[in-house]
Amino acid sequence: MEGLLAPLFASGRIVDGILLLVAGEALVLAWLVRRRGGPPLPSLLANLASGAALMLALRAALVCAGWIAVAAWMLAGLVAHLADLGLRFRTATAQRRSPAPAGTTPRTAAFTRGTRI
């Protein structure tokens, strides 16, 4: 097993395989969000971009690309992470500012209070 994996790590190809899986994950998530709804797609993509940038930093370090390349990929990961946080906070703030729906829903106090016997 070591003879199989050692060259993949030495050449950085292991990261390429992981990045292909992340790209597949992005496609599946985009399809699911369009079909069923869910978290905002830009936030999901920013999150995946952050992880991908960190993996590219790892790849640069594995192939001895130099500290500038590693630092540049890490900076790209930070920018993507900050974009993800900004999008999440913007969504959370917009949800808090929207008026509560009128009427009784399963999330109102009437349905969420515990009953004691």
Side-chain angles (χ1 to χ4, degrees):
M1 189 68 156
E2 184 179 328
L4 176 67
L5 292 178
L8 291 175
F9 277 90
S11 66
R13 295 287 180 202
I14 192 78
V15 175
D16 296 341
I18 295 169
L19 287 172
L20 284 174
L21 291 173
V22 170
E25 181 183 8
L27 292 173
V28 168
L29 286 172
W31 178 74
L32 284 173
V33 167
R34 278 187 189 262
R35 191 150 192 247
R36 299 182 183 173
L41 188 59
S43 180
L44 286 172
L45 294 178
N47 190 317
L48 289 174
S50 173
L54 292 178
M55 284 187 274
L56 288 167
L58 171 65
R59 186 182 194 288
L62 286 173
V63 298
C64 301
W67 72 269
I68 294 176
V70 175
W73 284 118
M74 290 178 74
L75 180 62
L78 173 65
V79 170
H81 178 65
L82 292 175
D84 176 32
L85 287 176
L87 290 167
R88 288 177 192 241
F89 280 122
R90 182 181 304 162
T91 301
T93 303
Q95 287 175 352
R96 273 187 274 139
R97 290 184 182 169
S98 63
T104 306
T105 67
R107 292 186 177 171
T108 57
F111 289 101
T112 58
R113 287 188 207 146
T115 57
R116 295 186 184 169
I117 299 174

